[in-house]
Every structure is written in structure tokens, then in C-alpha cells.
Amino acid sequence: MTKRYLFTSESVTEGHPDKIADLISDAILDDVLEHDSTGRVGVEALVSAENITISGQIQSVYKPDITKIVRQVIREIGYTEERYGLNPDCGISIFVNGQSKDIAMGIDRCLESKTGKNNDSDIGAGDQGMMFGFACNETPELMPLPIMLAHKLTHRLAQVRKDGKLSYLRPDGKAQVTVAYENGIPVEVTTVVIAAQHNARVPMDTLEGDIKEQVIKKVIPEQYLSDETKYYINSTGRFEEGGPQADSGLTGRKIIVDTYGGVARHGGGCFSGKDATKVDRSASYAARYAAKNVVAAGLADRCEIQIAYAIGVAHPVSVMVDTFGTGIIAYDKIEQIIIDTFDFRPGKIIEYLQLRRPIFRKTAVYGHYGREEQEFTWEKTDKTEVLKKILSSNL
């Protein structure tokens, strides 16, 4: 009997208010790391049309010009005029201080260390919590299909706006994709939802036709579309007022968009604005790295990894692996292989994923995973041969 179900994921453009906040937070982080690779940052942005508020902690020998960074980011997104939904010369309020000494102590001197000396390999976790990583073989990127298509749609929306193909578009936008699965395999796209901010002059039938031809059909493979596919493009009728003029934005409010589109579990902590001593970010990247290599090596078709930490302690308090019945050996054996192969101490993660570089603004929009770019070291599958050799000895 065929089991059929629908699954939906969404993505948002860089002009969405929440993504403006994420981009600002990561731009501040990158600026600090560019001048001080060991700087510690935990900053958040609250975005409205009239004022942008930055709060958090920065511990660094370098002092970033936050006001300059904020204005640069909103202009580069495309908010160059107030009528687009955000005034690039809006008010900016800054409430940033140094890192808590109590938190810093746990990072500087790992609570497991008997010597009390600072050892980068054994720096403690910057917080407690649990993080998840996931991979599956639905797409070449080893990601769930719905979120990959949604990200490609929003990226395409930004591209056709910036290159002038659809010059009437404005920075704010969303995409949502519903995929039908049969026995766990994606077979068709049943619904595509697009919300694209636009100027007041474009007729709706023109916008709908352009979005179908220049965005949807350029992104979604023909094999997944049919005469039965439903399209909802600006389904309220108009989308002229957008950006922070229509809704406020906050760092870390799009954590499902940032990860696996709802397919995998999430520990709750966001990524943007946090340096890699915060395991919310670094351990999530490491868990994705391990899960992706497991699937790429053929140990399982689907793999989810949970890693949990105590603040100030380097070694995880737990590692859990779930292959959803798709592993070619018992899941507990795969779990042990992962523990033996990947070092999940924060200092080692920072080292092998090269997370002291100013690379994070690029991650803030269109997903942290499934992107084959040089900066995204957690997307490498360089452990597959090692895993295959270990696997062969367990068969």
C-alpha cells in the first residue's frame, strides 16, 4: 500500500524584516572577526521602519562601528528609499556591553581541565543546550527537497530584482513549497506560494506571469510540476507595503527557515550574531557535518544527530543518533562510529571547521545548509572514505 503525504517548507528573502535583523547581527560578527579572530560576539537586532536597536555583548580588542555597519547592510539589501519599507537613515539605538565574566570563565578555562590553563582544544561550551544536525538523500545537497526549493525560489526573487529582470520588485518576499511524498520519496510539487513585494504600478497579471516564468519555472525542475500544481502569487491581491514598515524583525526568529524547513528537530537556539564559542552555532554546524558525511558514505539514507552540552564543559554530555530505520547497520553502531570519528568539543569544532573567519553574513539568508560554497566547511563530505573503512570492519 502506498503511503502518501504532503510536507511544506518556507523561505524568506534578505529583505524580510527578520532576515534584515539576522544579516545585521552577522555583519557585526564578521566585522569583529575580521579584526580580531578571537573576539566573542552575541548580538541581536530589533528592526522597525523608524528605529533599529542593537543589543548584546562583544568581548574584543576591536570596537566595531555598529552604526556604519547597520546602514551599509540595509542599503546593500536594497532598502535605498524610505518608500520601500525601511529608511536607510533611520534611528539606531545601541545597547552593547562586554561578555559576562561568569560565561567567559567557562570558555577561557574549561571546567574539565585539571591544569586550569587555557587550551584551545578544551575551551568550554559557551552555553548549555542541545543542538541537532540532519541529512537525507532526497537532493544532491543531502537536504530535504521542500526547503531546498523554497530557498532557491527566494534567492531567485532577489536575483531578478537586483539584475533588473523584474525591476518592479522590492526587497521583501517569501516562498513556500509543498511536496508530495510516496513511501518517503518526493514525487511532485503540489503547491507553490510566493509573496513578492512590488511597486504600485505593476499590474497583478503581469507580476503573476513574470513570477511563474522568471522565478518558479527557473527553479523547480519540470519533473515535479504538472497541470495540477497550484500557484498562489501575492494571494491577497497586492504586496506594496513591506519590510519593517509592515512588520518588525528580530534576530533568530527564522530558525526553521535557517535549518531543515521543519523536517528535522531543532534545539531552539538561533545562529546569527553568535561567534563559534556559542555551541548553538558551532555544534549545530558540526552535527550537520557529521550527519551529511554519514549519508554521503552510505551508512544511512537519513541521519539526525543530537549533541548536548553543559556550560563551561568541553565534552558533550550526550550524543544521540537516529537513522529512522534506514541504516545499513544498527543505529547504535553508527552512533559509536560517529563518536569515534568526529570530535565535538567546541575548540576542535572551531579548528576543523575554521570558524574564526569572517564568513557568517553569507549564512544569514537562504539557509545555513545545503550550500556548496567554500566558506561552508560543514558541508564538506571529506570523511566519507574514513567512514566507509570503519563500516567495512563492522559488517
PDB file of all heavy atoms in Angstrom, residues 22 54 78 293 305 333 349 368:
ATOM      1  N   ASP A  22      18.919  39.327  11.096  1.00  0.00           N
ATOM      2  CA  ASP A  22      19.972  38.309  11.064  1.00  0.00           C
ATOM      3  C   ASP A  22      21.207  38.808  10.326  1.00  0.00           C
ATOM      4  O   ASP A  22      22.346  38.581  10.756  1.00  0.00           O
ATOM      5  CB  ASP A  22      19.456  37.034  10.385  1.00  0.00           C
ATOM      6  CG  ASP A  22      18.491  36.237  11.242  1.00  0.00           C
ATOM      7  OD1 ASP A  22      18.480  36.437  12.471  1.00  0.00           O
ATOM      8  OD2 ASP A  22      17.732  35.420  10.681  1.00  0.00           O
ATOM      9  N   ILE A  54      20.182  47.598  18.520  1.00  0.00           N
ATOM     10  CA  ILE A  54      21.199  46.545  18.628  1.00  0.00           C
ATOM     11  C   ILE A  54      21.513  46.346  20.103  1.00  0.00           C
ATOM     12  O   ILE A  54      21.811  47.312  20.823  1.00  0.00           O
ATOM     13  CB  ILE A  54      22.500  46.931  17.888  1.00  0.00           C
ATOM     14  CG1 ILE A  54      22.204  47.382  16.443  1.00  0.00           C
ATOM     15  CG2 ILE A  54      23.485  45.769  17.928  1.00  0.00           C
ATOM     16  CD1 ILE A  54      21.606  46.331  15.570  1.00  0.00           C
ATOM     17  N   GLY A  78      18.930  46.492  -0.376  1.00  0.00           N
ATOM     18  CA  GLY A  78      18.109  47.149  -1.394  1.00  0.00           C
ATOM     19  C   GLY A  78      17.135  48.172  -0.845  1.00  0.00           C
ATOM     20  O   GLY A  78      16.329  48.740  -1.594  1.00  0.00           O
ATOM     21  N   ASN A 293      28.086  13.526   6.260  1.00  0.00           N
ATOM     22  CA  ASN A 293      29.093  12.537   5.894  1.00  0.00           C
ATOM     23  C   ASN A 293      28.578  11.116   6.069  1.00  0.00           C
ATOM     24  O   ASN A 293      28.915  10.230   5.275  1.00  0.00           O
ATOM     25  CB  ASN A 293      30.371  12.760   6.701  1.00  0.00           C
ATOM     26  CG  ASN A 293      31.290  13.789   6.065  1.00  0.00           C
ATOM     27  OD1 ASN A 293      32.121  13.465   5.231  1.00  0.00           O
ATOM     28  ND2 ASN A 293      31.107  15.046   6.440  1.00  0.00           N
ATOM     29  N   ILE A 305      21.366  13.861  14.238  1.00  0.00           N
ATOM     30  CA  ILE A 305      22.279  13.784  15.375  1.00  0.00           C
ATOM     31  C   ILE A 305      21.934  14.881  16.373  1.00  0.00           C
ATOM     32  O   ILE A 305      21.775  16.048  15.989  1.00  0.00           O
ATOM     33  CB  ILE A 305      23.747  13.944  14.921  1.00  0.00           C
ATOM     34  CG1 ILE A 305      24.116  12.833  13.924  1.00  0.00           C
ATOM     35  CG2 ILE A 305      24.695  13.937  16.113  1.00  0.00           C
ATOM     36  CD1 ILE A 305      25.489  13.009  13.307  1.00  0.00           C
ATOM     37  N   LYS A 333      25.626   1.166  16.485  1.00  0.00           N
ATOM     38  CA  LYS A 333      26.959   1.031  15.900  1.00  0.00           C
ATOM     39  C   LYS A 333      27.318   2.283  15.102  1.00  0.00           C
ATOM     40  O   LYS A 333      28.466   2.747  15.135  1.00  0.00           O
ATOM     41  CB  LYS A 333      27.032  -0.210  15.013  1.00  0.00           C
ATOM     42  CG  LYS A 333      27.005  -1.524  15.789  1.00  0.00           C
ATOM     43  CD  LYS A 333      27.235  -2.716  14.862  1.00  0.00           C
ATOM     44  CE  LYS A 333      27.282  -4.025  15.652  1.00  0.00           C
ATOM     45  NZ  LYS A 333      27.511  -5.201  14.774  1.00  0.00           N
ATOM     46  N   ILE A 349      35.874  21.781  17.094  1.00  0.00           N
ATOM     47  CA  ILE A 349      34.941  22.147  16.023  1.00  0.00           C
ATOM     48  C   ILE A 349      35.406  23.445  15.361  1.00  0.00           C
ATOM     49  O   ILE A 349      35.455  23.552  14.131  1.00  0.00           O
ATOM     50  CB  ILE A 349      33.514  22.311  16.566  1.00  0.00           C
ATOM     51  CG1 ILE A 349      32.966  20.975  17.074  1.00  0.00           C
ATOM     52  CG2 ILE A 349      32.595  22.893  15.487  1.00  0.00           C
ATOM     53  CD1 ILE A 349      31.652  21.104  17.828  1.00  0.00           C
ATOM     54  N   HIS A 368      21.544  27.927   6.156  1.00  0.00           N
ATOM     55  CA  HIS A 368      22.899  27.638   6.617  1.00  0.00           C
ATOM     56  C   HIS A 368      23.422  26.320   6.053  1.00  0.00           C
ATOM     57  O   HIS A 368      24.607  26.045   6.175  1.00  0.00           O
ATOM     58  CB  HIS A 368      22.919  27.580   8.149  1.00  0.00           C
ATOM     59  CG  HIS A 368      22.701  28.908   8.799  1.00  0.00           C
ATOM     60  ND1 HIS A 368      23.682  29.579   9.513  1.00  0.00           N
ATOM     61  CD2 HIS A 368      21.610  29.716   8.841  1.00  0.00           C
ATOM     62  CE1 HIS A 368      23.205  30.723   9.966  1.00  0.00           C
ATOM     63  NE2 HIS A 368      21.946  30.818   9.576  1.00  0.00           N
TER      64      HIS A 368
END
